[in-house]
Amino acid sequence: MANTASTAPAKSKVTAGVLQILLGGFGAGRFYTGHTGMALAQLFTCGGLGVWALIDGIIFLTSNDRTDAQGRPLV
């Protein structure tokens, strides 16, 4: 059986960052990267009243070591 994790396309850090900045109160950037637990926490706290979501979005855009839920680096 084929390993779907290795053939799945890489996720974009720009997409994750923009989603997080614009829709971070709903945890959109975290849902996009597969971090469901963190996304639910952001959803229930409205993205840390917007502060957590904004900081997280900026870090997504500027950091080079962010990964998705399967450990693949964001490109």
Side-chain angles (χ1 to χ4, degrees):
M1 198 170 239
N3 183 359
T4 58
S6 64
T7 60
K11 302 219 185 238
S12 167
K13 74 177 191 174
V14 173
T15 302
V18 170
L19 281 171
Q20 193 61 26
I21 289 171
L22 297 178
L23 299 170
F26 303 108
R30 292 297 187 155
F31 278 120
Y32 172 73
T33 60
H35 296 105
T36 308
M38 188 77 72
L40 289 173
Q42 289 184 339
L43 179 64
F44 294 137
T45 64
C46 295
L49 298 176
V51 176
W52 179 10
L54 179 63
I55 292 171
D56 208 21
I58 292 169
I59 292 173
F60 267 124
L61 292 171
T62 59
S63 177
N64 290 327
D65 60 350
R66 284 292 183 119
T67 61
D68 66 6
Q70 287 77 37
R72 296 177 301 221
L74 300 178
V75 291

